[in-house]
Amino acid sequence: MKLNKPRLPCSTLLCAAPRTLTETPSPYSVFPRRVRVSSSTFTNAKLVTLKSCAAKLHLCSSMATSDHRDESPTKPNKKKKASHSQEKNLLVSLHSCSKSKNLSAALSLYDAAITSGDVSLSQQHFQSLLYLCSASLSDPSLHTLAIDRGYQVFQRMVGSGVSPNEASVTSVARLAAAKGDGDYAFKVVKDIVAVGGLSVPRLRTYAPALLCFCERLEAEKGYEVEEHMDASGIALEEVEISALLKVSVATGRENKVYRYLHKLRESVGFVSEETSKIIEEWFCSEKASEVGNSGIELLRAAVLKNGGGWHGLGWIGAGKWIVKKGNVSPDGECLSCGEHLACVDTNEVETENFVNSLVALAVGRKAKMNSFESMEDFSEFQEWLEKHGDYEAILDGANIGLYQQNFVDGGFSLPQLEAIVKELYSKSGNKKWPLILLHKKRVNALLENPNHRSLVEEWISNNVLYTTPPGSNDDWYWLYAAAKFKCLLVTNDEMRDHIFELLSTRFFQKWKERHQVRYTFVKGSVKLEMPPPFSVVIQESEKGSWHVPITCQDGEVSLRNWICVTRRS
């Protein structure tokens, strides 16, 4: 079958791959539209090169023999089937080379295919070869060969009209970065974005160019890659943020350093040892001692607006920084400087977006329902909360009542629910009752029980219990109420259901850490597991100090080291 050349802009580098590292001219300067290999040529190459590893490659004997009578014009179907079989066998052989990391064997198969014959090279063939070339970069003895031949393979791929996919472009970008050519590594990624289609770049596609620029201290080019990634909706991870932080420190760009410290705060909890050394290097530098501002106002207001733990208004204070490594007590006190760390909450904008998304999802679900039962609008619950609100805790009634009730005579346990209600009331400094969310069907069953009716009616009359309507999902109600009032949510629900997957994962995890209260019953007595008193995340205080958590060895959280950075008062 004939391969159609993709419609690419004439300026694209996909049609102009760079020269190889060697000065020897490529024997494949003119690219045919189709590349085929004869059975005999392919057989000879296989016997010479792969004799020692034939068992590993599982080459099928059908590739070594062919009936020339099948190639006659009178039997086109047999010829087509034979060609298809040979292409499949070649692909299997290349995959075997990849598994055994045998670059030389794979290149011999490729060279045989280039010479002439009946095998058409597809995107999968090229992708397998390019992957093996990039995977061989870690072997010093194959480094130059992998780059040179990888470029040749890519040249033939685009010259033959075969469109490179994301995996192929990633491999080429890695080859270019290994050669020190970050410009080309970035260009092939930009080309695939410009062409569009099904091949969408990922973090791994951009990383080679970004890391190459940062390693070569080409800061502006590294920032350009980051901007391109942001436009493509691709989030940085610690490795990439750390690289950008390092090049910013090395080139003395204090505003960029500040920005990437906050990116680390947003993206990771604790940092690696490698990243911690870069942070220490910055605060110990002469440049860091020169930056700062003591005239910034409204710092506390900014910290509160952001949910605590950071203000984002720039470097505070003046003079040299005091950098120490130490631990933090269980209640959040830094043992190096005595400052108490914050339990970081979501900021106002994030919380508002979260609440709005919950309303949209709840209303959308109702609209899709096909139920004969009447269902109250979610807006009625919103109005009820506005009238009776200001709760300090929301209870997932069904989760609590059914806790550990999976035995023969088990059922909904109202005493368990009552115990948690009383415990929360006693812990409330303002003596406020929590709010229980429970489905109408469940409430009706409790009201029919003479032993439970009085308590349930008392809860309803005192606005301690809200009954969710038929056809509704309790989850939307208790989650919305907890988010709306920024209060505690008592449930052991892991919230991994598909409905929660619709929410922003990073934000939702942070929200749960700050607001979810878990519970258990020990010999009939309730035990509440409250949110941690402080957050294990980079923190910037209104005093100008910084606290950076470092990954702990062997999972010993109590022994976790923190970088404590302060300035003399």
Side-chain angles (χ1 to χ4, degrees), residues 489 491-494 516-520 527-530:
L489 171 62
T491 181
N492 284 345
D493 194 327
E494 293 294 340
Q516 185 174 6
V517 177
R518 300 178 186 276
Y519 63 87
T520 187
K527 182 179 179 181
L528 299 178
E529 183 183 331
M530 305 300 284

Side-chain angles (χ1 to χ4, degrees), residues 5-17 187 191 194-195:
K5 189 172 183 178
R7 296 179 180 178
L8 300 177
C10 60
S11 61
T12 176
L13 281 184
L14 293 181
C15 298
K187 189 65 170 69
D191 285 342
V195 172

Side-chain angles (χ1 to χ4, degrees), residues 20 26 28 110 148-157:
T20 62
S26 170
Y28 315 121
Y110 169 71
D148 283 356
R149 296 308 305 273
Y151 272 91
Q152 289 179 6
V153 170
F154 188 60
Q155 282 179 318
R156 182 161 293 276
M157 181 181 190

Side-chain angles (χ1 to χ4, degrees), residues 214 217 242-254 257 261 264 271-291 315 320-325 548 550 563-565:
C214 291
L217 299 183
S242 182
L244 288 164
L245 176 65
K246 185 175 182 179
V247 72
S248 300
V249 170
T251 54
R253 300 164 192 252
E254 66 274 13
V257 172
L261 279 175
L264 283 172
V271 302
S272 65
E273 287 285 353
E274 292 76 11
T275 302
S276 72
K277 292 176 182 177
I278 299 171
I279 295 173
E280 287 185 74
E281 180 185 347
W282 162 252
F283 283 110
C284 291
S285 69
E286 210 45 53
K287 181 68 176 179
S289 66
E290 298 171 359
V291 300
W315 305 108
K320 290 189 176 183
W321 298 88
I322 302 171
V323 181
K324 297 180 181 179
K325 268 189 179 180
V548 182
I550 306 173
I563 302 175
C564 170
V565 185

Side-chain angles (χ1 to χ4, degrees), residues 1-2 16 39 46 68 98 197 222 240 291 360 426 441 458 465 468 472 487 505 531 538-539 561 566:
M1 57 184 281
K2 189 172 182 179
S39 302
K46 180 188 69 175
H68 292 283
S98 293
E240 291 72 33
V291 300
S426 66
K441 185 177 180 180
E458 181 184 345
L465 173 63
T468 60
S472 65
C487 63
T505 303
I538 294 176
Q539 299 200 22
N561 278 329
T566 58

Side-chain angles (χ1 to χ4, degrees), residues 319-373:
K320 290 189 176 183
W321 298 88
I322 302 171
V323 181
K324 297 180 181 179
K325 268 189 179 180
N327 303 114
V328 173
S329 70
D331 64 349
E333 180 185 359
C334 175
L335 301 180
S336 297
C337 69
E339 188 171 339
H340 279 270
L341 302 185
C343 186
V344 181
D345 203 348
T346 55
N347 63 47
E348 292 180 0
V349 175
E350 289 176 322
T351 302
E352 184 179 355
N353 291 338
F354 182 38
V355 171
N356 292 336
S357 67
L358 288 170
V359 174
L361 290 170
V363 173
R365 183 181 185 278
K366 175 182 177 289
K368 292 179 181 179
M369 288 188 60
N370 185 19
S371 174
F372 293 103
E373 293 186 79

